[in-house]
Amino acid sequence: PLCILSVGIQASLRERGLDNHAKVAVLGASGGIGQPLSLLLKNSPLVSKLSLYDIAHTPGVAADLSHIETKASVKGFMGPEQLPECLKGCDVVVIPAGVPRKPGMTRDDLFNTNASIVASLTTACAKHCPEAMICIISNPVNSTIPITSEVFKKHGVYNPNKIFGVTTLDIVRANTFVAELKCLQNQLEFPQDQLEKLTARIQEAGTEVVQAKAGAGSATLSMAYAGARFAFSLLEAMSGKQGVVECAFVRSDVTEVPYFSTPLQLGKKGIEKNLGLGKLSPFEEKMVAAAMSELKGSIKKGEEFAKNFK
Amino acid sequence: PLCILSVGIQASLRERGLDNHAKVAVLGASGGIGQPLSLLLKNSPLVSKLSLYDIAHTPGVAADLSHIETKASVKGFMGPEQLPECLKGCDVVVIPAGVPRKPGMTRDDLFNTNASIVASLTTACAKHCPEAMICIISNPVNSTIPITSEVFKKHGVYNPNKIFGVTTLDIVRANTFVAELKGLDPARVTVPVVGGHAGKTIIPLISQCTPKVEFPQDQLEKLTARIQEAGTEVVQAKAGAGSATLSMAYAGARFAFSLLEAMSGKQGVVECAFVRSDVTEVPYFSTPLQLGKKGIEKNLGLGKLSPFEEKMVAAAMSELKGSIKKGEEFAKNFK
């Protein structure tokens, strides 16, 4: 069917001669992010096999998605005994599993529950798909990426170019908020007070949604969009497209902390080149300096947890 | 950002010089279908304004979607007092509101709850956006389309070319199942599905499939039954957790996009939908429709049917008559 959802994409893929046979797994596929994320992945001609894992409901979610008229085959896996089979042969693993914030909580408040979940799931990845790209959505990302890295090191399969903390929603929000303001006032420069307001809004946008949902959860649909956007960038880069750039929270030597997000050039083997910070304004340099202490703490918390895990 | 989710679409829209400023409302936007459907609509460059209505949770859903980097503005409306404002100025209204089936239920078992919901919501549409295209997903579609039509007649704003029962998921399933059996890419398979949107009223026309496919009779019967029961297949697989949501969101979005493209001038847009029809002896029936600026431009009818397909059409008449009458009776006594 000439479905608008994919015809433009199919044509441009064919033009570029890109291979599109990726096997993707979603761990936490039955959840608030996992379900719409899996829908977006199933809709994409980039994906040839979609493996959906969760502790409940995945057979139903998979049956539902399997009826969609796109080529990706869909299979549901439920419970830890089925996790190895889910992961075998996967090129990309996206992990939204875990609990979301409630009003008043910080992402760090999720640590106690989500750290174990991520450590277990990434242990299975290290054992059953050590070559896959791992994309972590589960918060707090500032800690779950160090956890994932330590788990992979423990199993002797660590590759820092293949482990990504998905920060794409922050970029998406920044694009949206800047576009809104530009549209209203038709100018490219912001006075300092407006710049500070805009910056704070981007930083607190996740909390904005938690409040608006009044206990019903955190960002799910926009996170699904952002997770899919990052996964598609990675898949395109892995199949040969040049010049794919995304920001992500990764192992980094750009600053004094061991994990940091900057724009990354992606390629067949994951991170091809870290493009670094570029030129910062004085205001931006201050923010980088001010973030160091919290980043150090969250990273250390993740590393300590992983050392004591299992 | 050069996001693959829309760049191909943006380019092809610009090439075709299509206007893409549509105002779309989703009634039931916080539900299992409504949320992913709203996500797909928000992602599309065809939409410039998205109004989300439900009896709960819509402010949160709207806040969530409003962060996505596409041009559609998003607003949440909660509760009947906000429904008029939600609907004003809308070009297309999509209605997934209502309760889903549990294992063992037919779509008709939903009638008692969903008939009132659809009658209330479409009453508001008749009052506040009588010119809009109305796309009903809420089951049982075989009854909720007659209900909607009677409601619009009551308010003197009935236009049979603008009221559609969304049967697209049956077409999507037919395409997928035929492609599976023949080792084809489902994106290149097109099977018309006619009749209604429940059990044996779902009539796939495999003889009209493009590309042309042949099946031995026993396999054809199995395939036909699978298409007819596919909704139940998902209800069973979800074991009480609901019915098709994600695939229904996909299908609902596909139909909405076809309608929006046709409304903005694209030629040759064809979709099946359950509509007011003179093609058979029953007053509502789904066949392929050519869509245009004013909704249905031309009903393309049944085309040439195989003897097997003719039998299915005849066998569906009695159930369709019953479901249609049930909807019309309900609407006459409503409020």
Side-chain angles (χ1 to χ4, degrees):
Chain A
L2 289 176
C3 176
I4 194 181
L5 290 168
S6 66
V7 69
I9 298 165
Q10 297 244 46
S12 70
L13 282 171
R14 262 180 259 123
E15 281 163 33
R16 296 198 291 245
L18 288 181
D19 178 39
N20 47 346
H21 296 297
K23 300 183 184 77
V24 181
V26 178
L27 310 187
S30 303
I33 297 170
Q35 289 205 36
L37 171 61
S38 300
L39 170 62
L40 294 177
L41 292 169
K42 172 58 173 146
N43 286 352
S44 171
L46 286 171
V47 180
S48 74
K49 186 171 160 187
L50 193 54
S51 300
L52 307 181
Y53 172 83
D54 212 323
I55 54 176
H57 302 311
T58 22
V61 176
D64 188 355
L65 285 175
S66 74
H67 289 178
I68 292 175
E69 57 197 351
T70 53
K71 70 171 203 215
S73 64
V74 187
K75 196 164 175 200
F77 300 85
M78 192 161 76
E81 327 75 47
Q82 298 195 348
L83 188 46
E85 199 199 333
C86 172
L87 293 173
K88 277 203 165 42
C90 281
D91 302 307
V92 176
V93 182
V94 190
I95 308 184
V99 297
R101 284 195 279 166
K102 288 199 181 299
M105 291 172 80
T106 63
R107 287 184 180 88
D108 190 62
D109 289 332
L110 304 175
F111 185 94
N112 291 336
T113 313
N114 289 355
S116 311
I117 292 172
V118 171
S120 302
L121 293 175
T122 54
T123 294
C125 294
K127 288 176 175 168
H128 303 289
C129 56
E131 302 289 311
M133 305 288 174
I134 311 296
C135 308
I136 308 281
I137 291 172
S138 315
N139 274 313
V141 165
N142 291 355
S143 299
T144 55
I145 285 302
I147 288 173
T148 303
S149 305
E150 294 303 314
V151 163
F152 270 65
K153 284 179 197 171
K154 256 195 211 179
H155 289 83
V157 292
Y158 181 50
N159 183 343
N161 295 324
K162 291 191 175 186
I163 295 175
F164 304 88
V166 182
T167 63
T168 315
L169 186 48
D170 300 323
I171 287 86
V172 167
R173 286 165 170 160
N175 294 341
T176 301
F177 299 165
V178 167
E180 262 170 34
L181 287 168
K182 267 192 199 178
C183 188
L184 288 173
Q185 59 196 34
N186 202 30
Q187 65 183 53
L188 301 170
E189 301 280 340
F190 296 107
Q192 185 64 18
D193 62 332
Q194 205 176 39
L195 180 62
E196 285 173 15
K197 263 184 167 166
L198 170 60
T199 300
R201 188 179 178 210
I202 295 164
Q203 291 173 334
E204 294 305 310
T207 303
E208 185 180 308
V209 178
V210 171
Q211 303 283 41
K213 289 201 172 187
S218 59
T220 48
L221 304 174
S222 52
M223 186 64 239
Y225 170 91
R229 171 182 146 164
F230 184 78
F232 294 150
S233 289
L234 200 45
L235 288 173
E236 286 202 305
M238 288 163 71
S239 70
K241 185 180 177 190
Q242 298 296 304
V244 179
V245 176
E246 287 280 4
C247 297
F249 187 70
V250 295
R251 177 73 187 83
S252 171
D253 295 324
V254 173
T255 68
E256 65 190 84
V257 286
Y259 298 89
F260 196 83
S261 172
T262 43
L264 310 165
Q265 195 163 290
L266 303 175
K268 293 191 183 233
K269 299 183 175 191
I271 303 172
E272 214 164 67
K273 189 176 177 198
N274 192 319
L275 303 175
L277 279 166
K279 186 174 184 340
L280 302 185
S281 69
F283 176 58
E284 291 157 357
E285 275 174 4
K286 277 213 200 95
M287 286 196 282
V288 170
M292 291 290 114
S293 148
E294 181 175 334
L295 280 169
K296 272 182 198 145
S298 302
I299 291 167
K300 202 158 174 59
K301 192 170 177 179
E303 289 175 334
E304 289 298 310
F305 178 89
K307 287 196 166 82
N308 299 326
F309 180 71
K310 267 223 182 63
Chain B
L2 289 177
C3 177
I4 196 182
L5 291 167
S6 66
V7 69
I9 298 163
Q10 298 244 44
S12 68
L13 282 171
R14 260 181 258 122
E15 280 162 36
R16 295 196 293 244
L18 288 180
D19 176 39
N20 47 346
H21 297 299
K23 300 183 183 76
V24 180
V26 179
L27 310 187
S30 304
I33 297 170
Q35 290 205 38
L37 171 61
S38 299
L39 170 62
L40 295 177
L41 293 169
K42 173 57 172 146
N43 285 352
S44 171
L46 287 169
V47 180
S48 75
K49 186 171 161 187
L50 192 55
S51 299
L52 307 181
Y53 173 82
D54 212 323
I55 53 174
H57 302 311
T58 22
V61 176
D64 188 355
L65 284 175
S66 74
H67 288 178
I68 292 174
E69 57 197 347
T70 52
K71 70 173 203 212
S73 63
V74 187
K75 196 165 175 198
F77 299 85
M78 192 162 77
E81 327 74 49
Q82 297 193 350
L83 188 46
E85 201 199 334
C86 172
L87 293 173
K88 275 200 168 42
C90 281
D91 302 306
V92 176
V93 182
V94 189
I95 308 185
V99 297
R101 286 193 280 165
K102 288 201 181 296
M105 291 172 79
T106 63
R107 288 182 179 86
D108 189 61
D109 289 331
L110 304 175
F111 186 93
N112 291 335
T113 313
N114 289 355
S116 310
I117 292 172
V118 171
S120 303
L121 293 175
T122 54
T123 294
C125 293
K127 288 177 176 169
H128 303 289
C129 55
E131 302 290 310
M133 305 288 174
I134 310 295
C135 309
I136 308 283
I137 291 173
S138 315
N139 275 313
V141 165
N142 293 352
S143 300
T144 55
I145 285 301
I147 288 174
T148 302
S149 305
E150 293 303 314
V151 163
F152 270 63
K153 284 179 198 171
K154 255 195 212 178
H155 288 83
V157 291
Y158 180 49
N159 183 342
N161 295 323
K162 291 191 175 186
I163 296 175
F164 304 88
V166 182
T167 63
T168 315
L169 186 48
D170 300 323
I171 286 85
V172 168
R173 286 165 169 160
N175 295 341
T176 300
F177 299 164
V178 167
E180 258 171 37
L181 287 169
K182 295 297 186 188
L184 299 168
D185 182 351
R188 297 170 198 260
V189 175
T190 302
V191 179
V193 182
V194 301
H197 188 58
K200 296 219 183 310
T201 69
I202 295 170
I203 302 163
L205 303 182
I206 308 291
S207 72
Q208 294 184 20
C209 179
T210 52
K212 193 142 179 48
V213 293
E214 300 282 343
F215 293 100
Q217 186 62 20
D218 61 333
Q219 206 180 33
L220 180 62
E221 285 172 14
K222 263 184 165 167
L223 169 60
T224 298
R226 190 182 176 207
I227 294 165
Q228 291 174 334
E229 294 303 312
T232 303
E233 186 181 306
V234 178
V235 171
Q236 305 282 39
K238 288 200 172 188
S243 59
T245 49
L246 304 174
S247 53
M248 186 63 241
Y250 170 91
R254 171 182 146 163
F255 184 78
F257 294 150
S258 289
L259 200 45
L260 288 172
E261 286 201 303
M263 288 163 71
S264 70
K266 185 181 178 190
Q267 297 296 304
V269 180
V270 174
E271 288 280 5
C272 298
F274 187 71
V275 295
R276 177 74 187 84
S277 171
D278 294 323
V279 173
T280 68
E281 64 189 87
V282 286
Y284 298 89
F285 196 84
S286 172
T287 43
L289 310 164
Q290 196 163 289
L291 303 174
K293 292 188 184 236
K294 299 185 176 188
I296 302 172
E297 213 163 67
K298 190 177 177 198
N299 192 322
L300 302 176
L302 279 167
K304 188 173 181 339
L305 302 187
S306 70
F308 178 60
E309 291 158 357
E310 277 179 9
K311 276 213 202 96
M312 285 196 281
V313 170
M317 290 291 116
S318 148
E319 182 176 336
L320 280 169
K321 272 183 197 142
S323 302
I324 291 166
K325 202 158 173 58
K326 193 170 174 179
E328 289 174 335
E329 289 298 310
F330 178 89
K332 288 197 167 83
N333 300 325
F334 181 70
K335 267 220 185 61

